């Protein structure tokens, strides 16, 4: 039987080390039967950390314990926390007001900004423009630093293009 003697955690800004222990199920003095059992527990810990959707990167390293006995292992958990939403600004929108766009994106202060959230936000904007027959729209986003380390503001750049209308419809061979 072996135990997990030490866990180093890097990259936390909002969560505490104890939160990582609780969420992952990995904590100092955790016992495991074999190297396979150790690997299973590490994989389960990684999976649990991904499930909470608060990180953009999770890496766990087995730290070499050549000077210590074979009965213990040490690991390092490297995390990159996702930023939190602060505010949003729109540039280039002429056909839809900023107030309407804020209602369309429907994002709340303090919400965690994952790539999926930003992708969905851009798609909702594009869908609204499609409804108004602007099919050549281009929407780009940029995360901007704020005065608090983990809070990011979003700048949305909209190129509306031209409205598309069907002038003539010909049916040939009917």
């Amino acid at each position: 039987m072996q135990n997990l003697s030490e866990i180093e955690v890097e990259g936390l800004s909002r969560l505490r080390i104890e939160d990582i222990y609780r969420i992952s199920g990995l904590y100092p003095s955790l016992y495991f039967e074999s190297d396979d059992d150790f690997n299973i527990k590490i994989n389960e810990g990684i999976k649990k950390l991904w499930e909470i959707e608060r990180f953009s990167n999770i890496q766990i390293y087995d730290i070499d314990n050549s000077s210590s006995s074979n009965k213990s292992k040490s690991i390092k958990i490297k995390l990159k926390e996702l930023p939190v939403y602060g505010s949003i600004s729109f540039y280039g929108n002429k056909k839809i007001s900023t107030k309407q766009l804020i209602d369309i994106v429907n994002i709340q202060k303090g919400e965690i900004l994952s790539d999926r959230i930003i992708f969905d936000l851009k798609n909702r904007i594009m869908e609204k423009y499609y409804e108004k027959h602007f099919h050549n729209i281009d929407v780009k986003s940029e995360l901007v630093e704020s005065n608090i380390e983990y809070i990011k503001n979003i700048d949305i750049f909209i190129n509306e293009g031209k409205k598309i209308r069907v002038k003539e419809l010909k049916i040939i061979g009917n």
Side-chain angles (χ1 to χ4, degrees), residues 116-131:
R116 182 183 55 82
I117 297 280
I118 293 173
F119 178 80
D120 290 345
L121 174 145
K122 289 171 25 179
N123 278 342
R124 287 193 296 272
I125 292 170
M126 289 171 43
E127 286 171 9
K128 190 63 173 178
Y129 273 95
Y130 293 158
E131 288 174 14

Side-chain angles (χ1 to χ4, degrees), residues 57-110:
N57 193 5
I58 300 170
Q59 297 176 6
I60 297 182
Y61 301 98
D62 186 4
I63 300 172
D64 182 35
N65 283 338
S66 53
S67 62
S68 65
S69 69
N70 259 351
K71 299 228 179 229
S72 66
K73 288 191 178 257
S74 296
I75 61 171
K76 177 188 254 183
I77 302 175
K78 263 180 108 171
L79 303 166
K80 183 163 174 37
E81 285 188 86
L82 289 168
V84 172
Y85 167 70
S87 68
I88 192 164
S89 299
F90 297 95
Y91 302 95
N93 57 308
K94 295 175 186 93
K95 302 300 180 188
I96 299 178
S97 73
T98 298
K99 184 179 182 317
Q100 286 177 306
L101 287 171
I102 289 171
D103 290 342
I104 290 166
V105 297
N106 191 24
I107 189 167
Q108 306 299 317
K109 282 193 187 251

Side-chain angles (χ1 to χ4, degrees), residues 12-169:
L12 294 179
S13 59
R14 295 184 318 275
L15 292 172
R16 296 173 303 152
I17 291 175
E18 293 78 19
D19 296 329
I20 300 306
Y21 295 164
R22 181 181 44 78
I23 293 163
S24 68
L26 301 171
Y27 49 88
S29 77
L30 175 71
Y31 285 96
F32 50 93
E33 298 294 324
S34 63
D35 284 342
D36 287 340
D37 187 32
F38 173 75
N39 292 334
I40 289 169
K41 288 183 183 199
I42 294 294
N43 287 333
E44 288 172 352
I46 291 171
K47 183 180 175 189
K48 289 174 185 176
L49 288 169
W50 278 121
E51 285 173 353
I52 65 169
E53 297 181 353
R54 293 192 65 154
F55 305 103
S56 63
N57 193 5
I58 300 170
Q59 297 176 6
I60 297 182
Y61 301 98
D62 186 4
I63 300 172
D64 182 35
N65 283 338
S66 53
S67 62
S68 65
S69 69
N70 259 351
K71 299 228 179 229
S72 66
K73 288 191 178 257
S74 296
I75 61 171
K76 177 188 254 183
I77 302 175
K78 263 180 108 171
L79 303 166
K80 183 163 174 37
E81 285 188 86
L82 289 168
V84 172
Y85 167 70
S87 68
I88 192 164
S89 299
F90 297 95
Y91 302 95
N93 57 308
K94 295 175 186 93
K95 302 300 180 188
I96 299 178
S97 73
T98 298
K99 184 179 182 317
Q100 286 177 306
L101 287 171
I102 289 171
D103 290 342
I104 290 166
V105 297
N106 191 24
I107 189 167
Q108 306 299 317
K109 282 193 187 251
E111 194 168 329
I112 294 173
L113 291 175
S114 67
D115 289 340
R116 182 183 55 82
I117 297 280
I118 293 173
F119 178 80
D120 290 345
L121 174 145
K122 289 171 25 179
N123 278 342
R124 287 193 296 272
I125 292 170
M126 289 171 43
E127 286 171 9
K128 190 63 173 178
Y129 273 95
Y130 293 158
E131 288 174 14
K132 294 184 174 276
H133 303 288
F134 287 89
H135 294 280
N136 291 329
I137 183 160
D138 185 34
V139 178
K140 291 190 167 97
S141 64
E142 185 178 309
L143 292 180
V144 181
E145 299 290 328
S146 71
N147 53 0
I148 301 174
E149 174 192 348
Y150 57 86
I151 293 179
K152 303 282 187 207
N153 298 324
I154 307 172
D155 285 349
I156 302 288
F157 301 94
I158 300 171
N159 182 354
E160 295 175 337
K162 295 189 185 255
K163 197 171 201 175
I164 296 178
R165 294 187 179 144
V166 177
K167 283 185 178 179
E168 186 177 332
L169 181 62

